[in-house]
Amino acid sequence: MKKYILLAMSAVVFGFTSCSEDEMDKVNVNNQNPSSALVSANLQITDAIMSTAFSTVSGDYAFYTSSLTEQLFGTGNNQLKNAELRKAGELAAPSTFNNVWNGTYGNLLNIKEMIDKVNNGTANSGGMYDVLGAAQVLWVVNFGILTDMHGDIPYSEALQGAANMSAKADSQEDVYKALLATIDDAIANLEKAQGLSNIKNVDIAFAGNMQKWLATAYAVKARYLIHQTCVDSQAAQKSLAAAQKAQELGFSGFTVTEFNGVTCDNPWSAFVWSRGYTAPSKTVTDLMGDADPRISVYCYDENPTDVVATPGDEDAAIESFTWCYPSIYDSGSQPVHIMSAHELYFIMAEAKLRLGQDATEEFQKAVAISVDEWLQYASFDVTGAEGQEYAESLGTPDLRKVFVQKYIAGAIDEQVETYNDIRRCMGMGETYINMTNPRNIQGGLNRWPYLLPYGQSSLVSNPSLKEIAGDGTYIYQKNCWLFGGK
């Protein structure tokens, strides 16, 4: 009898032990912050869009290239001053772009998780073609900027974590082929997604409007096709076809401004308010001329010559918080342009001109959109006539007019694309924007970088990138494949 009692008690004790162990397993689980593997893919879209806009598009890439393009003047006796003076210790240092390099790859890891969940049907994400298509558009934008800024980059072996800490650098040509294939996949998935609403309440760009996402996919495709004018004789024709499809679908810009009544603080506004590292550039005002309605917005003054800085002026660059800045930054809630509407129309105008077609309508539309947007977000009363009137005054366009007006339009927060345009035109033997900073060449040596250095974290751990980087001077030596290099 005692034997059976002991057995019964053992069973009870074992049962209590098992139950206790099960409960203990739950102790360190934070149910309010579950593993990303358990989160439905649609819930990751908000951070993916925000990181793209605030870090990759409007972060250090834009801040530094704004000086390289001379769309803004680098001041403040610190980082942007060093860029203005073309100091290699700043521009060629892997630490300079480490944060945005890591941040962009981190965002791509999030985007990859979204894509994998939908494709694999995990985390209740099967069939979410709206999530898949939007994620693929973001994938192309983020990887597109990485390869445009750095040339050859880890792509096919990237984002594997501990499984591969030394991902090879794929050639820029191969990266571009993959990105264009991905944007075509995005278009196909977004066409399937019409009517779906998985991201309606979390999509801070389009509130789940699939036609707007589809239009954006075509616009993004047009951008990365026009980038290839140096290496593909059919680039203009292909880009125009994609851009016209985006126009047909009603593309009106890929921006982040506010969502559900909550206004986003613009990163450029935060940057100038906290750092005072930027001032208007004489290169821009000389191109604008007195007739441009945007000049008082750009200079924050009725007398532009009193407040603009000459690129490369060391005394001016050392000053801090003494210069004005474009008054559009005072809004703080102006849109962050991942891709603007005027960029699409400038692409169409360029493509048509390269194909020998009349581009007056597209050119004037691009200029009018830019003027009206600048005035609107600088709190001017805008009737819609201002932009159109000024655009018409510019007459029939040629390529010079297109690139000059695109340069001016992008001077607020689209410097990354301007940097691409300037290098692309260099590769084609075309010069439409004359860089006036005398420090671009010092001691007979080029000090205007054709590429930006890789992030320091990857150079430390990745022999593939370290071999390419060498002593860091490679960024001054030749353009990348996309823009006419070899």
Side-chain angles (χ1 to χ4, degrees):
M1 184 66 176
K2 287 183 179 180
K3 179 176 73 172
Y4 294 116
I5 292 173
L6 289 171
L7 287 172
M9 290 179 67
S10 297
V12 170
V13 171
F14 180 76
F16 280 138
T17 302
S18 299
C19 181
S20 298
E21 288 177 354
D22 289 342
E23 291 301 316
M24 289 298 291
D25 287 341
K26 299 176 183 178
V27 169
N28 289 321
V29 175
N30 183 354
N31 292 315
Q32 302 303 314
N33 187 24
S35 164
S36 63
L38 303 176
V39 175
S40 179
N42 61 319
L43 299 180
Q44 296 175 253
I45 192 75
T46 307
D47 188 58
I49 298 171
M50 186 66 77
S51 293
T52 301
F54 277 61
S55 177
T56 304
V57 172
S58 289
D60 286 338
Y61 289 140
F63 298 155
Y64 279 93
T65 57
S66 71
S67 173
L68 296 178
T69 62
E70 299 182 21
Q71 287 168 297
L72 290 167
F73 178 89
T75 184
N77 200 24
N78 213 307
Q79 294 104 311
L80 267 290
K81 175 214 58 175
N82 292 336
E84 186 66 35
L85 302 182
R86 304 295 185 257
K87 292 191 175 182
E90 188 74 39
L91 291 171
S95 59
T96 299
F97 297 97
N98 192 56
N99 288 343
V100 67
W101 171 270
N102 290 340
T104 303
Y105 270 108
N107 189 33
L108 281 161
L109 183 59
N110 177 44
I111 295 168
K112 181 179 184 296
E113 286 183 356
M114 295 163 61
I115 292 171
D116 289 346
K117 286 175 184 177
V118 178
N119 283 333
N120 298 330
T122 56
N124 299 314
S125 302
M128 290 186 176
Y129 292 108
D130 47 352
V131 176
L132 181 57
Q136 288 170 322
V137 171
L138 293 168
W139 175 276
V140 172
V141 170
N142 281 269
F143 261 124
I145 291 175
L146 278 173
T147 189
D148 289 345
M149 296 298 99
H150 300 283
D152 299 347
I153 58 168
Y155 183 83
S156 61
E157 295 181 359
L159 309 175
Q160 296 180 26
N164 188 352
M165 299 293 288
S166 301
K168 71 175 182 179
D170 293 283
S171 71
Q172 188 177 57
E173 182 176 6
D174 287 343
V175 173
Y176 252 74
K177 287 177 181 176
L179 293 181
L180 288 169
T182 300
I183 203 65
D184 283 339
D185 288 343
I187 289 168
N189 287 316
L190 289 167
E191 287 173 342
K192 292 179 188 177
Q194 299 302 307
L196 295 181
S197 57
N198 293 299
I199 59 176
K200 180 178 180 181
N201 296 320
V202 289
D203 173 9
I204 59 175
F206 301 121
N209 185 316
M210 286 299 103
Q211 179 160 318
K212 289 185 177 181
W213 272 108
L214 185 58
T216 298
Y218 277 107
V220 168
K221 182 177 181 179
R223 170 195 279 181
Y224 290 103
L225 285 169
I226 203 69
H227 281 183
Q228 296 188 85
T229 51
C230 279
V231 294
D232 182 359
S233 61
Q234 301 299 311
Q237 184 174 343
K238 294 174 184 176
S239 180
L240 180 60
Q244 288 174 329
K245 185 65 176 178
Q247 179 189 31
E248 177 187 322
L249 290 166
F251 180 73
S252 58
F254 185 14
T255 63
V256 176
T257 307
E258 63 176 38
F259 186 68
N260 288 338
V262 178
T263 300
C264 302
D265 288 334
N266 186 281
W268 268 103
S269 297
F271 183 70
V272 298
W273 292 340
S274 65
R275 300 290 184 92
Y277 282 179
T278 58
S281 166
K282 190 173 184 296
T283 304
V284 176
T285 56
D286 283 351
L287 289 171
M288 281 182 165
D290 295 337
D292 193 319
R294 293 164 293 190
I295 195 164
S296 58
V297 175
Y298 179 71
C299 297
Y300 216 136
D301 197 282
E302 294 298 329
N303 299 300
T305 56
D306 295 339
V307 296
V308 298
T310 301
D313 184 334
E314 183 169 7
D315 292 335
I318 291 173
E319 296 178 18
S320 181
F321 289 103
T322 59
W323 292 98
C324 72
Y325 50 81
S327 63
I328 198 170
Y329 295 150
D330 262 350
S331 168
S333 60
Q334 70 273 22
V336 181
H337 294 103
I338 298 176
M339 182 172 180
S340 65
H342 60 248
E343 181 187 339
L344 180 73
Y345 284 97
F346 280 124
I347 288 172
M348 294 173 73
E350 177 192 346
K352 280 194 166 186
L353 288 171
R354 292 196 184 281
L355 294 169
Q357 301 176 23
D358 177 64
T360 304
E361 181 180 350
E362 291 78 11
F363 170 72
Q364 293 184 357
K365 179 76 170 176
V367 174
I369 290 171
S370 170
V371 169
D372 289 341
E373 187 174 57
W374 277 47
L375 298 181
Q376 175 188 350
Y377 285 99
S379 300
F380 283 60
D381 292 328
V382 181
T383 66
E386 295 86 354
Q388 186 59 39
E389 181 179 352
Y390 179 68
E392 290 176 358
S393 75
L394 296 174
T396 303
D398 55 17
L399 283 173
R400 180 175 298 279
K401 284 186 181 180
V402 168
F403 278 103
V404 166
Q405 287 301 317
K406 189 179 181 185
Y407 174 88
I408 294 170
I412 293 298
D413 70 348
E414 296 171 90
Q415 296 85 358
V416 167
E417 272 308 297
T418 305
Y419 184 49
N420 290 334
D421 281 343
I422 290 172
R423 292 179 295 153
R424 178 163 63 93
C425 288
M426 283 181 180
M428 299 180 72
E430 301 172 354
T431 303
Y432 302 114
I433 308 298
N434 291 310
M435 299 289 97
T436 63
N437 190 333
R439 300 174 187 274
N440 288 337
I441 296 176
Q442 299 179 54
L445 298 175
N446 176 43
R447 282 295 177 263
W448 193 89
Y450 298 116
L451 292 170
L452 303 181
Y454 299 121
Q456 185 171 14
S457 59
S458 291
L459 288 184
V460 169
S461 61
N462 192 334
S464 172
L465 298 186
K466 192 172 183 179
E467 182 179 354
I468 295 172
D471 63 0
T473 59
Y474 75 103
I475 67 170
Y476 300 114
Q477 293 168 359
K478 67 175 182 178
N479 231 327
C480 57
W481 165 82
L482 185 63
F483 304 133
K486 301 296 182 182

